[in-house]
Amino acid sequence: MTQTIAPRVRTLVLLFLAVTGALLAGAGPASAHAALTGSDPQQGVVVDKAPTQVSLTFSEQVSTADDSLRVLDPKGKRVDNGKPSNVSGTTYAVRLHSGLPDGTYTVSWHVVSADSHPVAGAFTFSVGAPSKTSVSVSGQEAGGGVVGRLYGLGRYVSYAGFTVLVGGAAFVLACWPRGSGVRAVQRLVVSGWLALTAATLAQLLLRGSYTGSGKIGDIFDLTLLGQVLQTKTGAALVSRLLLLAAAALFIAVLFGTYDKREDEEKRDLTFGLAVGGTVVAAGLAASWAMSEHASTGLQTGIAMPVDVVHLLAVAAWLGGLTALLVALYRAPVDTPLDTAAVRRFSRVAFGSVATLVATGAYQSWRQLGSWSAFTDTRYGQLLLVKIGLVVVLVGIAFVSRRWTARWADAVPVAERGREKEREREHVGAVAGGEATDGDVVDGDAVAGGSVSGGAAAGDVAADEPRTDGSGADAPGSDDPAAQDPERAAQLARQRAAVDAARQKRLRDADPNRTGLRRSVLAEAGIAVVLLAVTTVLTQTEPGRTETEAKAATSSAASSSTGSSSALTLNIPFDTGGGDGKGVVTVDLDPARVGGNEMHLYVERPNGRAFDIPEVKVAFTLTAKDIGPLPVVPDHITTGHWSANGVQIPMAGDWEVAVTVRTSDIDQVTVSKNAQIG
């Protein structure tokens, strides 16, 4: 069984790395949690007179720096007067130089939303009439690049570390106090503490570059670090580090002196550790609640405490599950995991799941706002995946409860059998001779030959000293162990090791325990994926915000459509694979400078709509060296994708390139040129 432990643990680790890698590889820049809902001048508009300022309105309050809002003339020179000001609510404005000439101006913005995520974008407006511009609005990316990926990895590691640290410690304190002396459990909890501490320090150093330039060289910029410390997120990260110092003291007591205390002292210490640990764990959870989704939007006074409780329930369930898995596989023979501990954890897990359902329902209502957001927004789709994983996990947990009950019922019988075996060996050893067929050992008949002292059940017999029946060394024995204390000690250690191995084989041979191990291992595998999806949710724009932003963008686009008509392009494609032929139709409305609404339809050659794994669009104005400007539309229904707020910065002959993927390996890019603007 020892040989099978490592492959299973490696499988779980590889699963975690695979899920994390896939999510990081598939994730682009952090989703915009604050959306631009309006501007003055509006996107793409042509004004008769140069404005005195440019103002932007967001869906929530944002943090700004000196260069958060820049206005560039057609040659790329800044024409604003510096740091933007908060004129009212969620509207921010920057003053412009006086006497601006006619031409096309580019507005570029890069801010940090109230829930800590960087947001960037750009658009154009014109004074007098549109003109050529040397400014490219492509590459407006916030939270991307190497720094963005490192910061995202820090999020994954910090959530995993928190779960293992809090859940593992709670498992020991509430379910299995004897586990405080088990090395494998100690290493698990300490690893959680180290992971959370390292990830928090990394996020603190990366934060300035992550929300700003995105350059590796800015990671150790002390000026940026000082600015980060003055933000809400910086304060949360520092608070987390201080709480981790208190958590280190908690771990030292739990795994240092706790197991050595007398029963009465242990009861008092348990109460103190429970109270102190709960306070520290709640504080760590609050460091996320005070700086991310729960701190913005509706009912923040209720949302933040609910988020703390939700995170604690996640840690108690998934972290405790991890500790249970380690205990089932790595607990030593002298400190075995008992059924009482498993039953206690089962009750803790049930309470955690009930808490998760209650708090999750509230969070879903708050973040989505409507039933349609479950399918129409990425946040809602991820939430459906999370709910599905929780249902699967609860189902496997039910199987684990059944294995626990069977194991508990079988333990008394197994214990009686092992006790009888030990009695037989003891009597055989004391007799120093043979217990033949028909002899009785403490009321049990010995059948099938003899039980020789010291040779039963795999004990080391060849090197054992002879005895005279009383258990002492026989006079005149020529056994070297009789005169060599070191040899005697070595033999004693060998006998203890063999006895421990035999007991472990007997314990691992229990089919009920093996069934529980497998079901818990399956739970842990699902839990790894669930934790990864949960972390992605924290970086995804809430459905309510996304819906409101789309509505505002559509309204702004419709107000500036003027007399322009929509553009429709029909482009045949053939990816070369099976079922790889069809026609993709691109509708762009109003097909002019500024914000546009795009609909994309995929049909078979017979005109019937069908779905494909992926479709992307890119706009390129070759004459002005602008683009490609990528657009990834959202799937609406069978064969239909849509995207709002598609920005066309300048009129001209644009190449519209559509990338169609019909399978994992079959893909093609087709294009057409069209006059837009």
Side-chain angles (χ1 to χ4, degrees):
M1 179 59 69
T2 302
Q3 294 178 349
T4 64
I5 293 174
R8 289 176 179 175
V9 173
R10 282 198 299 269
T11 300
L12 194 59
V13 172
L14 289 174
L15 175 62
F16 173 77
L17 294 176
V19 171
T20 302
L23 290 170
L24 286 176
S31 299
H33 294 203
L36 183 68
T37 58
S39 65
D40 185 16
Q42 292 182 355
Q43 303 179 29
V45 73
V46 178
V47 296
D48 296 330
K49 183 180 179 182
T52 59
Q53 68 175 21
V54 170
S55 64
L56 304 180
T57 302
F58 296 91
S59 59
E60 62 183 45
Q61 289 191 333
V62 297
S63 299
T64 60
D66 289 344
D67 59 349
S68 289
L69 203 168
R70 299 184 301 159
V71 182
L72 309 174
D73 66 12
K75 296 181 179 180
K77 182 180 178 181
R78 289 187 66 169
V79 294
D80 58 87
N81 287 331
K83 184 176 181 179
S85 58
N86 183 207
V87 268
S88 64
T90 58
T91 299
Y92 301 79
V94 63
R95 303 284 300 178
L96 301 182
H97 297 166
S98 59
L100 294 180
D102 291 351
T104 297
Y105 292 81
T106 302
V107 180
S108 173
W109 46 273
H110 189 296
V111 298
V112 180
S113 62
D115 57 2
S116 80
H117 298 277
V119 187
F123 66 90
T124 62
F125 71 92
S126 300
V127 177
S131 69
K132 296 181 180 180
T133 176
S134 61
V135 181
S136 173
V137 299
S138 62
Q140 290 296 325
E141 183 177 293
V146 176
V147 171
R149 287 178 172 79
L150 288 175
Y151 194 86
L153 178 62
R155 286 181 180 274
Y156 287 97
V157 175
S158 60
Y159 274 111
F162 170 78
T163 301
V164 171
L165 168 63
V166 174
F171 176 81
V172 171
L173 202 59
C175 304
W176 193 35
R178 293 185 65 196
S180 62
V182 176
R183 287 287 183 145
V185 176
Q186 293 175 359
R187 286 194 292 267
L188 175 72
V189 177
V190 171
S191 297
W193 183 90
L194 291 173
L196 180 54
T197 303
T200 303
L201 284 170
Q203 285 183 283
L204 191 61
L205 291 174
L206 291 165
R207 181 69 187 174
S209 178
Y210 171 68
T211 58
S213 65
K215 298 178 181 177
I216 293 288
D218 289 342
I219 293 177
F220 299 102
D221 188 330
L222 295 181
T223 302
L224 280 178
L225 181 60
Q227 295 173 359
V228 169
L229 294 177
Q230 298 176 30
T231 64
K232 180 173 63 174
T233 303
L237 292 172
V238 171
S239 300
R240 192 181 303 166
L241 288 174
L242 294 176
L243 287 165
L244 283 168
L249 179 62
F250 172 89
I251 293 172
V253 174
L254 180 62
F255 295 134
T257 62
Y258 179 75
D259 194 47
K260 301 178 178 64
R261 299 296 180 96
E262 299 295 333
D263 289 344
E264 186 174 348
E265 291 181 334
K266 185 175 287 189
R267 282 195 296 270
D268 295 338
L269 186 56
T270 300
F271 178 77
L273 287 174
V275 173
T278 301
V279 171
V280 172
L284 290 172
S287 67
W288 278 283
M290 67 183 287
S291 61
E292 297 198 349
H293 284 169
S295 64
T296 63
L298 299 173
Q299 302 177 350
T300 55
I302 299 175
M304 286 193 287
V306 168
D307 196 47
V308 169
V309 174
H310 188 82
L311 286 172
L312 292 177
V314 169
W317 185 20
L318 302 187
L321 184 67
T322 306
L324 174 62
L325 181 67
V326 170
L328 282 170
Y329 277 100
R330 303 298 299 275
V333 174
D334 58 347
T335 315
L337 179 70
D338 50 42
T339 57
V342 180
R343 286 184 178 277
R344 282 192 288 267
F345 174 71
S346 182
R347 290 192 290 269
V348 170
F350 179 82
S352 298
V353 171
T355 303
L356 286 174
V357 170
T359 56
Y362 170 77
Q363 289 179 325
S364 299
W365 167 81
R366 182 175 177 272
Q367 301 291 11
L368 290 176
S370 65
W371 291 106
S372 61
F374 270 110
T375 55
D376 293 346
T377 65
R378 184 167 183 262
Y379 187 95
Q381 294 162 1
L382 284 170
L383 189 58
L384 287 175
V385 173
K386 179 180 177 180
I387 293 172
L389 289 171
V390 170
V391 171
V392 173
L393 198 54
V394 170
I396 300 176
F398 177 75
V399 176
S400 297
R401 286 173 65 91
R402 296 184 63 182
W403 281 117
T404 301
R406 293 178 183 177
W407 182 27
D409 293 339
V411 163
V413 177
E415 288 294 337
R416 286 196 297 270
R418 284 194 290 269
E419 184 62 31
K420 289 179 180 180
E421 183 180 350
R422 286 193 293 268
E423 289 174 355
R424 291 190 186 101
E425 295 175 5
H426 174 69
V427 172
V430 171
E434 294 184 348
T436 59
D437 204 12
D439 288 346
V440 176
V441 180
D442 286 355
D444 291 322
V446 180
S450 63
V451 179
S452 178
D459 284 345
V460 177
D463 294 328
E464 284 189 354
R466 290 182 172 181
T467 62
D468 58 3
S470 63
D473 291 342
S477 172
D478 57 356
D479 190 338
Q483 292 86 23
D484 188 353
E486 292 185 5
R487 178 60 174 164
Q490 182 182 11
L491 290 174
R493 289 193 297 271
Q494 289 176 350
R495 284 193 293 270
V498 171
D499 184 62
R502 186 195 64 230
Q503 293 183 42
K504 191 175 190 306
R505 284 196 302 272
L506 291 172
R507 185 188 67 185
D508 293 345
D510 184 353
N512 298 305
R513 183 186 182 92
T514 301
L516 179 62
R517 279 180 169 183
R518 290 173 178 171
S519 63
V520 171
L521 184 64
E523 282 187 78
I526 300 297
V528 169
V529 182
L530 176 62
L531 186 62
V533 172
T534 301
T535 307
V536 175
L537 269 175
T538 67
Q539 303 178 73
T540 304
E541 182 176 4
R544 185 188 294 271
T545 304
E546 182 179 343
T547 302
E548 292 174 353
K550 285 181 178 179
T553 304
S554 298
S555 176
S558 63
S559 67
S560 60
T561 56
S563 59
S564 299
S565 58
L567 171 70
T568 299
L569 299 175
N570 295 311
I571 312 175
F573 66 86
D574 183 359
T575 62
D579 199 24
K581 292 184 178 181
V583 177
V584 59
T585 300
V586 180
D587 286 344
L588 194 67
D589 187 12
R592 59 168 294 170
V593 174
N596 291 263
E597 181 176 351
M598 185 183 74
H599 290 271
L600 190 146
Y601 304 90
V602 177
E603 298 176 344
R604 301 183 191 277
N606 61 7
R608 186 174 181 180
F610 73 109
D611 278 338
I612 56 177
E614 183 180 26
V615 60
K616 298 182 292 186
V617 182
F619 294 86
T620 304
L621 185 59
T622 306
K624 304 297 181 183
D625 195 23
I626 298 178
L629 307 179
V631 178
V632 180
D634 297 321
H635 185 259
I636 304 301
T637 186
T638 302
H640 181 199
W641 288 259
S642 174
N644 291 322
V646 177
Q647 294 298 316
I648 303 298
M650 180 181 296
D653 186 23
W654 287 83
E655 178 190 34
V656 182
V658 183
T659 300
V660 177
R661 181 167 65 84
T662 57
S663 71
D664 291 339
I665 59 174
D666 298 318
Q667 176 176 303
V668 68
T669 299
V670 292
S671 64
K672 267 191 177 182
N673 280 33
Q675 186 68 33
I676 303 177

